């Protein structure tokens, strides 16, 4: 066993060193400060390593970049080089030191392919020079990818040591570094420049990002905290503006959690809206609650641009699970018209989920919810209190089997449902390839147990369907409560009970997983930042249960100070256009002053 452990550690180190070696020496940073000395490495701090033009480019959102590259004002090569440089810096700036001053190998990148990206960008520039038009709507926009996407000439490890040098853990498939995911093909067709893949927790089943290859990925805005998971590398990288736009996946909050923790916008579409075909995954074939793919970025406009562009590729022709639903301008127009006709009997209506009945959100999250709700009321919109029609633990237990997300929950205690229909065999097999240790934050069963049989899976699916029906009718019934005679347009909800999790203390997932259970559309909107002078302990707080107590005790105003605080705007199934429009309106209004 000792030799086996030494072997996997050596393999992991070799891979880790290769990532570092892929960064040009002139971009290396020495003497990265500790979190105690420099809590926030975003903004001005990372900008000190860039020249003026690089700062201008990398501080521009995807929409602004497209305007420049599609008109020839900026060269795709210059944009790509600037983001490659900033991504390399970001990778190094989420490093932390131990008390013994030993550098932990913690970072946000799994793969860099900067040289290939610059060559692709040059092809785009040559095309523009010849034809005087862009290749597509994403012409020259650098896009980062979660390490589930397969990209030609690039490895996909998904955080597993045992996947190094293989195709999803298998050798001799003839797919190694050759096969590409469907969305990768579409992004290239649209003119995007792909240049890096970002860190994930092995298994993908964690609200933090840690694996044995790169260690732990921290939150760049507050390096005492987690960057989120499982698209945590995307959250950290985009939070540092090392990418203007990236793609992650979400089966329990994995787009929304990193977006919220890093102060970004993130879209969790309903299943079947965007193509997942050809991507690596955990528990592939578990179809009761599907993982979905969606964008994270620095603006709603960027999310809209990417989503609309991908749908123009007709992904339903190449991914059998994608619905044939092109981009629908009328859904956007519905929101624009309602807002534009305020004062003429028209307004928006929102349900506000301030507390899910199980866990109390931390003070800054409560304040963020109040900011949004009061802003909407001030503007003349209608806000009603929302409660889940069934206790949150009912649907949480169906999908997860537990209501906590504690590191203390290990395989011998974990009795899963949908997430562990296979008894943990898929992830256990992946770990067995190397004999590596399991990261503390992982919540699925990694020691194989008895698998669910067909009858048990069918019965679970019936329970899920019945709960979906109950929730649907509760939503419909709100037309009796609103003055508009329409059901509520969206639900405003925390994305998590905390602004960000503390390491190994992601205590509760109920605020994110309900959206997956009902397959609703959700967009994360940054609202504010933790302010230690304002976000003090809740006066008279009394815990409702042990989970509530554990979650509340994680909060420390001094430790959290400065961390981004976000909420999510949740709509019905397949309402991506409408929710993006609503989220943009809300964001614009709360940040006007």
């Amino acid at each position: 066993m000792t030799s086996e452990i030494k072997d996997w550690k050596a393999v992991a180190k070799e891979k880790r060193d290769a990532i570092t070696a892929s960064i040009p020496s002139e971009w290396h940073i020495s003497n990265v400060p500790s979190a105690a000395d420099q809590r926030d490495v975003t903004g001005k701090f990372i900008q000190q390593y860039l020249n003026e033009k690089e700062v201008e480019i990398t501080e521009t959102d995807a929409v602004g970049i497209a305007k420049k590259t599609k008109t020839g004002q900026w060269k795709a090569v210059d944009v790509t080089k600037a983001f490659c440089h900033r991504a390399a810096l970001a990778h190094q700036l989420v490093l932390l030191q131990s008390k013994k001053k030993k550098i932990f190998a913690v970072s946000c990148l799994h793969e860099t392919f900067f040289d290939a990206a610059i060559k692709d960008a040059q092809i785009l520039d040559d095309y523009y020079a010849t034809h005087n038009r862009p290749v597509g709507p994403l012409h020259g926009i650098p896009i980062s990818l979660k390490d589930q996407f397969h990209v030609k000439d690039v490895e996909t490890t998904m955080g597993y040591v045992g996947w190094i040098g293989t195709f999803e853990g298998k050798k001799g498939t003839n797919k190694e570094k050759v096969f590409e995911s469907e969305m990768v093909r579409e992004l290239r067709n649209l003119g995007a420049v792909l240049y890096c893949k970002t860190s994930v927790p092995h298994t993908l089943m964690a609200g933090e990002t840690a694996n044995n290859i790169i260690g732990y990925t921290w939150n760049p805005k507050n390096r005492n905290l987690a960057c989120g998971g499982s698209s945590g590398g995307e959250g950290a990288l985009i939070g540092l503006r090392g990418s203007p736009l990236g793609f992650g996946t979400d089966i329990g909050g994995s787009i929304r959690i990193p977006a919220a923790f890093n102060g970004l916008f993130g879209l969790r579409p309903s299943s079947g809206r965007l193509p997942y075909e050809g991507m690596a995954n955990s528990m592939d074939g578990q179809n009761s609650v599907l993982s979905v793919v969606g964008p994270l970025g620095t603006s709603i406009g960027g999310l809209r641009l990417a989503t609309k562009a991908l749908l123009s590729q007709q992904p339903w022709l190449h991914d059998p699970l994608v619905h044939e639903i092109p981009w629908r301008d009328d859904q956007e127009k519905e929101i624009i018209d309602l807002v534009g006709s305020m004062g003429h009997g028209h307004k928006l209506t929102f349900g506000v989920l301030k507390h899910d009945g199980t866990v109390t959100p931390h003070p800054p999250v409560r304040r963020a919810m109040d900011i949004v709700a009061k802003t909407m009321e001030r503007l003349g919109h209608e806000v009603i209190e929302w409660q889940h029609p069934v206790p949150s633990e009912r649907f949480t237990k169906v999908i997860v089997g537990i209501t906590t997300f504690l590191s203390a929950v290990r395989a011998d205690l974990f009795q899963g449902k949908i997430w562990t229909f296979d008894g943990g065999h898929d992830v256990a097999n992946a770990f067995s390839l190397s004999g590596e240790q399991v990261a503390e934050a992982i919540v699925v069963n990694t020691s194989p147990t008895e698998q669910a049989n067909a009858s048990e899976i069918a019965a679970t699916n019936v329970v899920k369907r019945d709960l979906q029906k109950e929730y649907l009718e509760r939503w419909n019934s709100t037309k009796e409560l609103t003055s508009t005679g329409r059901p509520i347009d969206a639900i405003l909800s925390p994305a998590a009970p905390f602004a960000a999790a503390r390491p190994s203390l992601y205590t509760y997932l109920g605020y994110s997983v309900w959206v997956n259970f009902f397959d609703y559309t959700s967009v994360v909107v940054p609202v504010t930042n933790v302010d230690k002078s304002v976000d003090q302990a809740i006066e008279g707080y009394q815990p409702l249960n042990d989970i509530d107590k554990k979650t509340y005790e994680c909060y420390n105003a001094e430790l959290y100070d400065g961390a981004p605080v976000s909420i999510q705007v949740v709509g019905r199934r397949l309402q991506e256009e409408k929710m993006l429009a609503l989220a943009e309106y809300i964001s614009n209004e709360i940040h006007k002053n």
Side-chain angles (χ1 to χ4, degrees):
M1 178 59 71
T2 302
S3 61
E4 182 183 59
I5 292 174
K6 182 180 179 181
D7 189 48
W8 73 253
K9 288 183 177 179
V11 172
K13 182 180 184 302
E14 183 178 357
K15 177 67 176 178
R16 181 164 61 247
D17 291 346
I19 299 169
T20 303
S22 72
I23 297 174
S25 58
E26 61 269 26
W27 292 351
H28 283 197
I29 302 174
S30 58
N31 301 318
V32 176
S34 68
D37 293 331
Q38 185 66 44
R39 176 178 293 195
D40 180 359
V41 292
T42 65
K44 294 293 184 183
F45 187 85
I46 190 173
Q47 289 175 14
Q48 69 180 299
Y49 301 103
L50 301 165
N51 64 42
E52 186 177 342
K53 187 62 178 180
E54 288 175 323
V55 170
E56 179 189 4
I57 289 171
T58 55
E59 290 292 330
T60 304
D61 79 336
V63 174
I65 293 169
K67 288 178 181 177
K68 297 284 191 178
T69 55
K70 289 167 63 178
T71 55
Q73 297 177 67
W74 283 354
K75 299 290 187 183
V77 165
D78 294 335
V79 174
T80 299
K81 286 180 177 178
F83 276 102
C84 287
H85 188 188
R86 192 152 178 166
L89 298 173
H91 181 70
Q92 300 168 78
L93 287 177
V94 283
L95 294 171
L96 286 180
Q97 293 181 327
S98 71
K99 293 179 180 178
K100 296 180 180 179
K101 300 298 181 183
K102 179 182 178 182
I103 295 289
F104 288 136
V106 287
S107 46
C108 58
L109 300 181
H110 274 188
E111 305 288 339
T112 66
F113 33 107
F114 298 156
D115 289 343
I118 293 167
K119 288 179 182 178
D120 289 342
Q122 185 61 60
I123 292 171
L124 293 172
D125 286 337
D126 292 343
Y127 182 93
Y128 190 91
T130 302
H131 301 282
N132 198 33
R133 67 174 185 268
V135 167
L138 304 183
H139 184 98
I141 300 177
I143 290 182
S144 52
L145 302 171
K146 184 178 185 177
D147 193 21
Q148 289 180 256
F149 289 85
H150 291 296
V151 178
K152 185 180 179 182
D153 297 325
V154 181
E155 199 159 57
T156 301
T157 67
M158 215 168 76
Y160 287 120
V161 175
W163 280 24
I164 296 172
T166 73
F167 181 82
E168 299 183 8
K170 301 180 180 66
K171 294 183 177 181
T173 66
N174 295 321
K175 291 184 175 182
E176 294 89 336
K177 296 186 178 183
V178 175
F179 179 80
E180 288 202 321
S181 305
E182 171 59 24
M183 188 180 283
V184 169
R185 183 188 69 81
E186 295 179 6
L187 288 170
R188 292 193 193 280
N189 287 347
L190 293 161
V193 178
L194 310 178
Y195 65 114
C196 65
K197 294 205 293 177
T198 53
S199 57
V200 300
H202 48 207
T203 76
L204 307 177
M205 307 304 289
E208 306 168 56
T209 295
N211 63 61
N212 293 313
I213 298 172
I214 53 86
Y216 194 93
T217 306
W218 296 85
N219 189 317
K221 189 69 178 174
N222 184 331
R223 292 188 299 160
N224 297 305
L225 305 172
C227 67
S230 61
S231 309
E234 282 298 313
L237 179 66
I238 302 172
L240 279 159
R241 301 303 187 262
S243 169
L245 182 70
F247 280 89
T249 62
D250 193 316
I251 194 173
S254 294
I255 290 170
R256 290 162 292 141
I257 291 165
F261 287 10
N262 292 279
L264 305 172
F265 298 93
L267 167 66
R268 187 269 177 202
S270 294
S271 60
R273 196 70 204 274
L274 294 177
Y276 211 115
E277 174 67 23
M279 291 173 59
N281 203 2
S282 285
M283 303 169 290
D284 195 17
Q286 180 283 106
N287 288 352
S288 296
V289 173
L290 288 168
S291 177
V292 300
V293 59
L296 300 84
T298 58
S299 70
I300 289 288
L303 306 190
R304 179 188 293 109
L305 174 65
T307 304
K308 190 172 184 177
L310 283 166
L311 292 175
S312 75
Q313 294 288 291
Q314 298 181 300
W316 48 86
L317 296 179
H318 302 281
D319 185 335
L321 297 185
V322 173
H323 304 297
E324 188 173 349
I325 306 176
W327 180 266
R328 298 163 296 187
D329 289 315
D330 59 308
Q331 280 208 5
E332 272 193 304
K333 188 174 184 297
E334 176 188 347
I335 299 303
I336 294 170
D337 287 348
L338 279 171
V339 172
S341 57
M342 286 289 293
H344 299 281
H346 299 285
K347 56 185 170 184
L348 298 169
T349 56
F350 297 97
V352 179
L353 180 68
K354 293 185 176 181
H355 195 301
D356 73 348
T358 300
V359 167
T360 305
H362 282 180
V365 178
R366 288 159 56 98
R367 181 166 63 87
M369 290 292 297
D370 284 344
I371 288 171
V372 176
K374 288 178 180 177
T375 300
M376 292 300 100
E377 286 183 314
R378 176 175 55 79
L379 292 167
H381 301 296
E382 190 168 8
V383 172
I384 63 173
E385 186 172 342
W386 178 262
Q387 287 294 327
H388 294 313
V390 296
S392 60
E393 65 178 18
R394 282 185 63 189
F395 47 78
T396 304
K397 285 183 176 180
V398 171
I399 187 173
V400 190
I402 53 174
T403 54
T404 66
F405 215 12
L406 283 168
S407 59
V409 178
R410 303 309 308 153
D412 58 336
L413 299 177
F414 190 88
Q415 298 296 321
K417 283 287 188 179
I418 290 173
W419 280 358
T420 51
F421 275 157
D422 75 337
H425 284 259
D426 176 67
V427 296
N429 288 339
F431 284 119
S432 70
L433 294 172
S434 66
E436 64 179 306
Q437 296 172 346
V438 180
E440 191 176 22
I442 304 304
V443 298
V444 291
N445 190 354
T446 58
S447 298
T449 58
E450 185 177 356
Q451 301 186 42
N453 61 40
S455 296
E456 291 167 337
I457 293 172
T460 301
N461 287 337
V462 170
V463 171
K464 173 176 171 279
R465 186 181 67 214
D466 289 346
L467 289 173
Q468 286 178 306
K469 169 66 172 174
E470 189 171 351
Y471 212 100
L472 179 68
E473 295 302 341
R474 171 73 172 95
W475 194 310
N476 291 336
S477 72
T478 57
K479 67 181 180 181
E480 306 298 332
L481 303 175
T482 66
S483 62
T484 64
R486 304 189 322 270
I488 55 174
D489 293 295
I491 297 170
L492 307 177
S493 165
F498 19 67
R502 293 171 64 174
S504 300
L505 289 173
Y506 202 114
T507 50
Y508 183 67
L509 58 96
Y511 283 103
S512 61
V513 80
W514 71 275
V515 176
N516 302 84
F517 186 89
F518 298 107
D519 196 24
Y520 288 149
T521 303
S522 174
V523 180
V524 166
V525 176
V527 177
T528 186
N529 293 83
V530 178
D531 183 341
K532 64 183 179 181
S533 67
V534 175
D535 299 315
Q536 294 295 313
I538 301 170
E539 187 175 348
Y541 166 79
Q542 292 294 324
L544 299 175
N545 49 62
D546 288 342
I547 304 166
D548 190 32
K549 184 174 184 291
K550 289 177 185 292
T551 302
Y552 185 77
E553 289 174 348
C554 292
Y555 183 65
N556 178 303
E558 181 66 41
L559 185 76
Y560 270 86
D561 191 45
V565 192
S566 306
I567 61 107
Q568 60 179 332
V569 183
V570 182
R572 297 178 190 250
R573 291 185 67 244
L574 301 167
Q575 288 191 336
E576 288 73 28
E577 297 91 342
K578 181 177 180 179
M579 288 308 107
L580 286 170
L582 271 178
E584 186 169 48
Y585 172 69
I586 291 169
S587 179
N588 288 343
E589 291 299 331
I590 62 177
H591 293 297
K592 265 187 176 178
N593 299 321

